[in-house]
């Protein structure tokens, strides 16, 4: 009851009424041309339902007039894509037939009930009804005054009920097919995966730059040596510049710019990370074996990020401690290992952080694995990334 009372004040009531009246106009034109065959439009619309663009046109019209609040949103239950399969075409034909039938039903209250209201107002004013009046009898003036609003109330009731019915039918027949729902789900999944990847990129790159800057600034302040301070500032500048390049590349992706973003860093540029760790005071023991420059793009890019996160965690949780880095390229995989002494409070290196989880996720995406945790009195990060699936 409350919905019926509220319906006259809602714009969607009148937009649905307009949707019901559009076929009424076509029916009226047809009845003016061929009054002996009022059923003919039901057959005329059949071939139009086979046209792929008809579903698109009907979907746009239904979204605009039947569900205006859902239009353009991800929650829209009415598709605006052309028919791609025969099942879509048959549903479009059924929709056109039902729409024409409902429009024919809506035509009678839309035309007759306002006329009856006018006749009741004339009777209330004392005018005699015409010979072709719709009223079956001439009511007294007091009764005409009381009955005058009734046809309009009935009209509003018909409009609301028919509008609800045609909207439910549109959602059923013009709604996305199973294939379209699957495509939308895949697109949404790809979007979420891309956002997750971008978040990891920002975490690794910016987190590494800020960690190096903090460690360098603290060491320079404690040392009180102008020469050491100059080296620290140079390392902060270099790390900050690299972080800005990564940030610019990620922002270009987020803005979907037509410009081509700069290439993601690879293990061939690992010296930049190792030099930052050395400049922060860490003694870095490095052993590189194999042709790193010939690694597949995804492997060398994700390997760079894993190394970056591992060195960042060392500086963040342990400070400038000795670090051992081993990177080797075998026939079928890339082995990466970073080892450092355990901190005084080992709980700080617990494996529940987003950085450690990100390393494991990066390795898993390539079909490999990454292990983090204590090992023989040290903290070890070890990753194995297969090459066979990438080549």
């Amino acid at each position: 009851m409350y919905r019926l009372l509220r319906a006259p004040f809602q714009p969607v009531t009148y937009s649905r009424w307009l949707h019901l009246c559009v076929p009424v106009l076509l029916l009226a034109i047809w009845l003016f041309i061929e009054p002996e065959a009022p059923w003919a439009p039901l057959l005329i619309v059949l071939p139009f339902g086979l046209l792929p663009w008809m579903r698109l046109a009907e979907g746009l019209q239904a979204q605009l007039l039947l569900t205006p609040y859902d239009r353009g949103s991800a929650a829209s239950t009415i598709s605006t894509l052309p028919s791609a399969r025969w099942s879509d075409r048959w549903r479009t034909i059924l929709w056109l037939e039902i729409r024409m039938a409902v429009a024919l039903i809506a035509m009678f209250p839309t035309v007759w009930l306002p006329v009856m209201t006018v006749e009741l107002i004339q009777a209330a004013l004392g005018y005699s009804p015409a010979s072709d009046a719709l009223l079956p009898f001439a009511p007294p003036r007091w009764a005409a005054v009381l009955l005058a609003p009734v046809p309009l109330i009935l009209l509003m009731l018909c409009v609301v009920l028919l509008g609800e019915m045609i909207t439910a039918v549109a959602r059923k027949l013009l709604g996305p097919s199973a294939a379209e729902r699957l495509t939308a789900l895949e697109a949404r999944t790809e979007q979420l995966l891309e956002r997750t990847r971008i978040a990891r990129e920002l975490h690794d790159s910016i987190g590494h730059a800020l960690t190096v800057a903090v460690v360098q600034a603290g060491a320079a302040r404690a040392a009180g040596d102008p020469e050491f301070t100059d080296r620290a500032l140079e390392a902060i500048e270099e790390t900050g510049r690299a972080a800005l390049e990564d940030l610019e590349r990620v922002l270009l992706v987020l803005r979907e710019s037509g410009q081509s973003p700069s290439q993601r860093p690879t293990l061939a540029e690992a010296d930049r990370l190792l030099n930052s760790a050395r400049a922060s005071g860490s003694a870095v023991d490095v052993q590189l074996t194999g042709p790193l420059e010939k690694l597949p793009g995804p492997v060398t890019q994700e390997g760079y990020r894993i190394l970056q996160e591992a060195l960042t965690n060392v500086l963040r949780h342990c400070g400038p401690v000795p670090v051992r880095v081993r990177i080797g390229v075998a026939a079928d995989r890339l082995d990466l290992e970073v080892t450092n002494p355990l901190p005084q409070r080992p709980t700080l290196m617990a494996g529940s952080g987003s950085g450690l989880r990100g390393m494991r996720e990066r390795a898993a995406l390539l079909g490999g694995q990454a292990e983090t945790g204590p090992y023989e009195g040290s903290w070890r990060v070890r990753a194995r990334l297969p090459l066979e699936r990438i080549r």
Side-chain angles (χ1 to χ4, degrees):
M1 180 60 70
Y2 176 71
R3 291 178 60 186
L4 292 177
L5 295 177
R6 192 178 56 176
F9 306 100
Q10 291 185 322
V12 69
T13 300
Y14 302 98
S15 66
R16 289 175 177 176
W17 193 3
L18 177 60
H19 186 273
L20 292 169
C21 290
V22 170
V24 170
L25 297 177
L26 298 178
L27 285 172
I29 295 174
W30 176 259
L31 291 176
F32 179 77
I33 299 173
E34 282 291 340
E36 301 298 329
W39 44 267
L42 295 176
L43 298 177
I44 294 176
V45 298
L46 285 176
F48 289 97
L50 299 175
L51 300 176
W53 55 263
M54 180 56 71
R55 183 166 179 260
L56 183 148
E58 290 294 320
L60 288 173
Q61 189 179 154
Q63 274 197 5
L64 178 64
L65 299 177
L66 298 181
T67 58
Y69 302 121
D70 299 340
R71 182 169 177 258
S73 67
S76 178
T77 54
I78 297 178
S79 175
T80 55
L81 296 176
S83 299
R85 296 170 175 81
W86 279 104
S87 59
D88 297 334
R89 293 180 172 90
W90 292 124
R91 288 200 303 163
T92 305
I93 291 175
L94 183 58
W95 157 255
L96 292 174
E97 294 294 315
I98 293 177
R99 185 182 180 188
M100 293 295 291
V102 174
L104 185 62
I105 296 173
M107 180 176 64
F108 297 103
T110 299
V111 175
W112 290 348
L113 291 177
V115 174
M116 292 179 66
T117 299
V118 172
E119 292 178 353
L120 287 171
I121 293 176
Q122 290 176 344
L125 296 176
Y127 293 98
S128 299
S131 58
D132 58 348
L134 296 177
L135 291 176
F137 61 92
R141 296 183 63 179
W142 63 269
V145 173
L146 296 177
L147 293 176
V150 173
L152 296 181
I153 295 174
L154 292 176
L155 175 61
M156 185 57 60
L157 179 63
C158 292
V159 168
V160 172
L161 295 180
L162 291 176
E164 291 283 350
M165 183 180 70
I166 199 65
T167 301
V169 174
R171 285 173 172 154
K172 185 69 175 177
L173 297 180
L174 296 180
S177 63
E180 291 171 350
R181 292 180 187 276
L182 181 60
T183 301
L185 180 61
E186 291 176 349
R188 178 63 176 167
T189 302
E190 289 293 331
Q191 185 182 31
L192 292 177
L193 289 175
E194 180 65 13
R195 290 182 179 180
T196 302
R197 188 188 67 79
I198 290 175
R200 283 200 303 262
E201 292 284 320
L202 286 176
H203 173 273
D204 294 347
S205 178
I206 306 304
H208 174 77
L210 291 177
T211 299
V212 170
V214 169
V215 172
Q216 290 281 6
R221 180 173 57 83
D225 182 358
E227 184 177 353
F228 182 85
T229 300
D230 289 341
R231 292 198 304 270
L233 291 176
E234 183 179 355
I236 292 173
E237 180 184 3
E238 181 181 352
T239 305
R241 185 180 295 110
L244 285 176
E245 291 178 0
D246 287 341
L247 181 61
E248 180 182 3
R249 175 181 54 78
V250 172
L251 291 179
L252 284 173
V253 174
L254 288 175
R255 287 194 294 261
E256 298 181 350
S257 172
Q259 305 176 16
S260 57
S262 57
Q263 192 69 21
R264 294 174 60 192
T266 65
L267 283 175
E269 307 170 57
D271 288 343
R272 186 171 65 179
L273 296 176
L274 302 174
N275 292 335
S276 295
R278 292 190 182 100
S280 300
S282 294
V284 182
D285 177 18
V286 184
Q287 181 178 335
L288 306 177
T289 57
L292 297 181
E293 67 280 356
K294 296 183 179 181
L295 286 172
V299 173
T300 186
Q301 292 165 1
E302 298 302 333
Y304 179 94
R305 291 305 186 192
I306 292 174
L307 175 62
Q308 184 181 54
E309 179 62 24
L311 294 176
T312 300
N313 286 339
V314 173
L315 296 175
R316 179 182 298 136
H317 299 294
C318 303
V321 298
V323 183
R324 189 182 69 176
V325 178
R326 298 290 183 266
I327 303 177
V329 180
D332 59 346
R333 72 174 187 269
L334 168 69
D335 292 324
L336 189 152
E337 183 176 304
V338 179
T339 308
N340 61 276
L342 284 170
Q344 297 180 355
R345 292 187 294 170
T347 54
L348 292 178
M349 298 289 288
S352 59
S354 60
L356 301 182
R357 184 172 62 251
M359 286 189 285
R360 291 191 288 267
E361 290 175 353
R362 289 180 183 278
L365 285 175
L366 297 177
Q369 59 181 358
E371 303 172 357
T372 60
Y375 177 77
E376 296 182 354
S378 300
W379 181 269
R380 185 181 68 172
V381 174
R382 185 174 67 173
R384 292 183 175 180
L385 307 180
L387 306 181
E388 295 181 352
R389 299 185 181 183
I390 306 298
R391 293 188 187 277

